[in-house]
Amino acid sequence: MRGRDEDTGEFFSESRSQNRREALEVLALGEKLVELTAAQLARLPIPEDLLEHIEYSKRITSHGARKRQLAFLAKQMRREDDATLDAIRDALEANSETSRRAVALMHRIEHWRERLLGQGDAALAELLDEYPGADRQELRTLVRNALAEKAKNKPPRAFREIYQVLRDLMLPAQAAAGQDEEDVEHEFDDLDDETDARD
C-alpha cells in the first residue's frame, strides 16, 4: 500500500492506475515498432538489445504467441529509462510526418505523370508554369515514348523515367518549402522498395 506525506497529503508514489496507463502506452509503442520496416527501425534511436526483441516479435505470426511476445517486448521496454523511450517516440513521430509528406509527394508526381500522358502539351505548359526549371523537350520526348510503349505493349521504361524526372524536379521544391529533402528521399526509397516487392 502506498504511503502519504503527512504534511502535504500527497502520495509518495504513482497510483496503480497511472502505472497501468504508462504500461499500456509502452505496449502501444511496442506494437507500432513491430509494424515498421527494417529501414524505418534503423532510423530510430533503439538500443541494440531492444532491437533484437522487436525483430523476433516481427517473425511471430500465431495470434496468441504474438500477443505474449508483445507483452514481453513491452516488459523489456519498460526497463529502459524514460529518456530512451521519449527519444524513440519523438523520432517515430518525426518519421511519421516525413512519411506522410513523402506519400503526398508521390501521389502528386503520379498525378502530374497521368496528366502529361492524358493532356499532352496543355498539362506540360501548366507544369512549366509551376516548375520553370523543367526541361520541356525532355518531358515531351518521354511522354511520346511512354505512349508509344503503351501502344506497342512494351515495358514501361519511359513511363518510369517520367516519374524520375518529375521526382527530381519536385523534391528540391518541397525542400525549399521548408521540408527536409533527405528525410523525404529516404521515405521515397522505402516506398520504392515496397512497390518493387509487390511487383
Side-chain angles (χ1 to χ4, degrees):
M1 191 163 136
R2 291 183 298 153
R4 190 186 280 232
D5 188 320
E6 292 179 11
D7 296 331
T8 64
E10 292 181 10
F11 289 108
F12 288 132
S13 62
E14 295 178 339
S15 67
R16 280 179 19 196
S17 56
Q18 175 66 23
N19 287 337
R20 179 167 169 70
R21 273 193 302 274
E22 289 175 4
L24 289 173
E25 285 175 11
V26 172
L27 178 62
L29 177 61
E31 289 171 347
K32 282 182 188 175
L33 294 175
V34 169
E35 296 302 317
L36 297 178
T37 66
Q40 290 168 325
L41 285 171
R43 289 199 297 273
L44 298 177
I46 302 173
E48 195 63 38
D49 57 329
L50 205 54
L51 199 54
E52 290 173 14
H53 292 297
I54 293 168
E55 292 298 337
Y56 181 73
S57 302
K58 290 164 81 66
R59 292 193 296 266
I60 297 176
T61 55
S62 168
H63 179 70
R66 185 176 177 87
K67 193 172 179 180
R68 285 190 300 277
Q69 179 59 29
L70 285 171
F72 179 74
L73 172 61
K75 182 178 178 182
Q76 300 306 310
M77 290 172 69
R78 286 195 305 272
R79 291 181 175 172
E80 300 292 335
D81 56 38
D82 289 343
T84 301
L85 295 181
D86 287 342
I88 293 171
R89 284 188 188 100
D90 291 345
L92 192 58
E93 196 172 300
N95 279 348
S96 200
E97 178 59 30
T98 301
S99 181
R100 279 193 291 276
R101 289 196 313 258
V103 169
L105 183 57
M106 182 182 73
H107 288 307
R108 181 170 171 72
I109 293 167
E110 288 173 346
H111 171 74
W112 270 111
R113 178 172 60 183
E114 293 306 316
R115 285 194 61 200
L116 289 170
L117 292 170
Q119 299 170 9
D121 284 343
L124 183 57
E126 282 184 49
L127 181 72
L128 288 167
D129 285 344
E130 194 168 335
Y131 298 96
D135 184 335
R136 177 190 299 267
Q137 192 56 47
E138 178 187 26
L139 281 166
R140 188 177 277 157
T141 302
L142 286 172
V143 167
R144 186 174 51 244
N145 291 347
L147 292 172
E149 286 170 355
K150 187 174 181 182
K152 294 177 182 175
N153 207 18
K154 288 187 172 182
R157 197 176 67 103
F159 182 77
R160 290 188 182 120
E161 282 184 46
I162 294 171
Y163 184 91
Q164 290 302 321
V165 168
L166 292 173
R167 176 187 172 196
D168 293 345
L169 188 66
M170 294 179 186
L171 197 57
Q174 184 169 355
Q179 297 166 342
D180 193 333
E181 182 178 347
E182 189 175 323
D183 286 346
V184 175
E185 194 158 359
H186 280 305
E187 285 299 328
F188 260 104
D189 293 341
D190 290 346
L191 290 170
D192 289 345
D193 290 345
E194 289 169 20
T195 304
D196 291 344
R198 286 195 300 266
D199 290 348

